[in-house]
Amino acid sequence: MSLSRASRRTLLTAGALAAALALSACSSDNNGKSGGGGGTNFVTNTGGISTVAKGERQPVNKIAGKTLEGEQLDVADFKGKVVVLNVWGSWCPPCRAEAPHFAKVAKDMKVKGVEFVGLNTRDADTSKGLAFEEEFGVGYPSLYDPAGKLILSGFPKGSMIPQAIPSTIVLDKDGKVAARSLMALDETKLRSMIDPLVAEK
């Protein structure tokens, strides 16, 4: 049975995303200067963290599905809170290096209304991701996205999209893309992305 034209386009697009992520996978020295498309107003500091002025931010598309534990999760349910989205894979050395920092900051920032959600990608099965979470004490959920479909569809064209593994996207309280890093982060850099958005009125 032949695939429909729309199905072929979807497969081609997913393939392009997989190729792009493969090229930039596990890059610990990406400076984060690439944008998401024309007309954007990103400001990149020397630490490789890109930000968007409040009036220029775009809302994410639907980012929802099953977690590694098999539970349903929709990022839209966290509207009103700052949300940290982290793209990772258990096979990725920089992801493993940053994981303890993410686990600690997520625990510390929970009381300030900050939610963390992982996007686990390119792991062949959930057992690898679950073992990673246990090893590094990751207490927040991760959506299981082995083919990168959520990464591909979840971020609007022209916004700051994940372009490497690991990538971190921070959403403001309105569910809009406010900051991005395309490299592994330590606790200090991670907090520098989150704190200004927690303080926003």
Side-chain angles (χ1 to χ4, degrees), residues 152-169:
L152 177 67
S153 64
F155 300 89
K157 185 177 179 181
S159 73
M160 293 187 293
I161 61 176
Q163 294 178 330
I165 303 170
S167 287
T168 300
I169 306 283

Side-chain angles (χ1 to χ4, degrees), residues 86-98:
N86 179 244
V87 178
W88 65 276
S90 67
W91 44 268
C92 167
C95 301
R96 301 178 72 80
E98 72 176 6

Side-chain angles (χ1 to χ4, degrees), residues 139-158:
Y140 54 86
S142 283
L143 289 163
Y144 183 50
D145 189 27
K149 292 179 181 178
L150 295 176
I151 299 167
L152 177 67
S153 64
F155 300 89
K157 185 177 179 181

